[in-house]
Amino acid sequence: MSRTVRWGILATGGIAERFTTDLLTLDGAEVVAVASRTEASAKTFADRFGIPRAYGEWAGLFADEDVDVVYVATPHHAHREAAGLALEAGKPVLCEKALTLNAREAEELVTLARDRGLFLMEAMWMYCNPLVRRLAELVRDGAVGEVRTVQADFGLAGPFAADHRLRDPAVGGGALLDLGVYPVSFAQLLLGEPDSVQAHALISPEGVDLNTGMLLGWDSGASALLSCSLVADTPLTAAVTGTLGRIEVPRGFFFPERFTLHRDGREPEEFLAGDDPHSFRHEAAEVMRCLRAGATESPLVPLDGSLAVMRTLDAVRERVGVRYPSERGAH
Ligand SMILES: NC(=O)c1ccc[n+]([C@@H]2O[C@H](COP(=O)([O-])OP(=O)(O)OC[C@H]3O[C@@H](n4cnc5c(N)ncnc54)[C@H](OP(=O)(O)O)[C@@H]3O)[C@@H](O)[C@H]2O)c1
């Protein structure tokens, strides 16, 4: 059960560096190859992390028999293609969030993985964080009663230069897929897929969402008030309120160091994180646990949950009028 899992890293940007740094601190994890669109980037990345093989095209990584699992760290628009090619080559995949550009692409990937009996997981590391799992468990066990409202936000002030990928519609830029996916995933972890979605956004001249407010509703009467932004340094907090009390998560709700449970008539109860709240080790360890157990899906980040989040993100974009270039002309 402790067999080494040999990783292949696809793309050499910011998150690939942070993920690989954390991955290499895990027992039983090895990084055997990296692929980039250019040989120079692959080589620089490989030298930096002591990775034995560097490919200047993705195909080399997919054909590498020593690679047990591929980590896809490209911008969103390339997730479908990169993860799809990896799965077609028989490789299990951990794919960065948001899983794809839209729900249609996500369906295609999930179908491919399921048809081939291969592991696929969205890199929604928040769902693997032990303290977030504890929070969800408390809510499921009724600690706050029936959930009535969820609030969560993820906004950064930037500024992001006009040529930054976050401003580029062609690569799935905007606040929603990079940042909004966290508050939406948080609300859906606690309440499931919403029955209604409303949204309002400031749209950039390039056509991506810069500042987005979302109101999700459930037939139970519960609602979630969520936001994401590339132009405002928002609190990055979350709160869940139910009929018997509430949970408050301070700044950094997607990798919390603590949260507080307030229940009517009782002293507030504080829950603290263990080591490493801001680490990608938890999600990497979950992937390795699943692969060793022969599981094709993680119970912590289920594919049906990722699909449901993608449907909500689609609905938000529809409400605010954001369509990526590859979707134009599509129905
Ligand atoms: N989990 C987290 O906390 C977290 C944090 C940040 C970002 N992310 C996610 O990770 C993904 C990448 O974000 P990032 O911040 O790492 O972006 P980034 O720094 O711009 O890096 C993305 C990398 O993808 C490759 N790439 C760039 N343009 C491409 C294109 N047109 N087609 C194919 N590949 C391309 C490049 O690598 P090569 O030159 O080697 O090909 C580039 O270095 C996004 O999905 C984002 O949402 C997750």
Side-chain angles (χ1 to χ4, degrees):
M1 290 302 275
S2 63
R3 82 173 160 88
T4 297
V5 173
R6 300 166 303 174
W7 291 76
I9 308 293
L10 193 152
T12 57
I15 193 60
E17 284 195 21
R18 288 166 58 200
F19 179 80
T20 304
T21 303
D22 286 356
L23 179 61
L24 287 171
T25 65
L26 272 185
D27 283 343
E30 222 182 291
V31 180
V32 294
V34 57
S36 169
R37 291 162 308 154
T38 64
E39 222 155 274
S41 286
K43 176 96 177 51
T44 305
F45 194 92
D47 288 348
R48 166 153 184 219
F49 291 104
I51 300 169
R53 285 189 294 291
Y55 297 107
E57 50 171 10
W58 298 352
L61 189 74
F62 303 144
D64 189 324
E65 289 185 356
D66 289 340
V67 170
D68 295 324
V69 55
V70 171
Y71 167 60
V72 172
T74 65
H76 310 108
H77 76 295
H79 290 180
R80 164 71 184 90
E81 185 188 3
L85 289 169
L87 291 166
E88 277 164 14
K91 302 292 189 197
V93 171
L94 171 67
C95 182
E96 260 313 328
K97 40 54 62 174
L99 185 55
T100 48
L101 271 190
N102 54 43
R104 180 184 51 76
E105 289 187 356
E107 286 280 359
E108 290 169 3
L109 268 192
V110 169
T111 300
L112 184 58
R114 286 180 174 160
D115 284 353
R116 304 216 167 195
L118 287 167
F119 179 84
L120 173 66
M121 181 176 125
E122 179 193 8
M124 181 38 71
W125 59 305
M126 174 177 73
Y127 280 1
C128 301
N129 179 290
L131 204 57
V132 172
R133 290 172 60 187
R134 183 81 183 98
L135 184 156
E137 192 181 84
L138 281 167
V139 171
R140 251 193 323 270
D141 291 347
V144 296
E146 198 180 328
V147 175
R148 294 293 196 222
T149 71
V150 174
Q151 290 160 259
D153 67 274
F154 191 168
L156 304 174
F160 298 95
D163 62 350
H164 194 284
R165 75 167 175 83
L166 286 169
R167 305 280 301 262
D168 183 0
V171 303
L176 189 66
L177 295 195
D178 252 82
L179 310 181
V181 66
Y182 288 99
V184 169
S185 297
F186 184 78
Q188 294 195 192
L189 176 68
L190 305 175
L191 284 163
E193 188 167 4
D195 298 302
S196 76
V197 176
Q198 295 173 51
H200 179 81
L202 169 68
I203 307 295
S204 76
E206 301 88 2
V208 302
D209 70 301
L210 291 177
N211 189 63
T212 305
M214 297 165 265
L215 174 59
L216 313 188
W218 285 261
D219 288 347
S220 66
S223 61
L225 198 50
L226 314 172
S227 68
C228 57
S229 183
L230 295 176
V231 291
D233 176 18
T234 67
L236 311 188
T237 58
V240 188
T241 307
T243 47
L244 302 176
R246 71 180 185 280
I247 291 173
E248 293 178 358
V249 194
R251 188 165 179 81
F253 77 90
F254 42 95
F255 54 90
E257 284 174 10
R258 64 181 65 232
F259 66 76
T260 310
L261 171 62
H262 300 265
R263 279 193 275 203
D264 301 345
R266 299 200 210 176
E267 281 297 305
E269 227 178 305
E270 194 97 19
F271 293 77
L272 300 177
D275 293 340
D276 263 359
H278 190 195
S279 168
F280 299 101
R281 287 159 55 95
H282 306 296
E283 76 172 346
E286 172 61 4
V287 172
M288 301 204 304
R289 188 194 67 73
C290 290
L291 293 178
R292 288 175 181 135
T296 53
E297 208 171 313
S298 163
L300 299 186
V301 195
L303 291 171
D304 285 341
S306 297
L307 288 172
V309 166
M310 286 313 309
R311 286 192 288 270
T312 301
L313 300 182
D314 278 7
V316 170
R317 286 197 299 117
E318 199 184 315
R319 304 292 179 272
V320 303
V322 169
R323 271 193 156 201
Y324 301 118
S326 64
E327 299 174 319
R328 296 197 183 124
H331 294 286

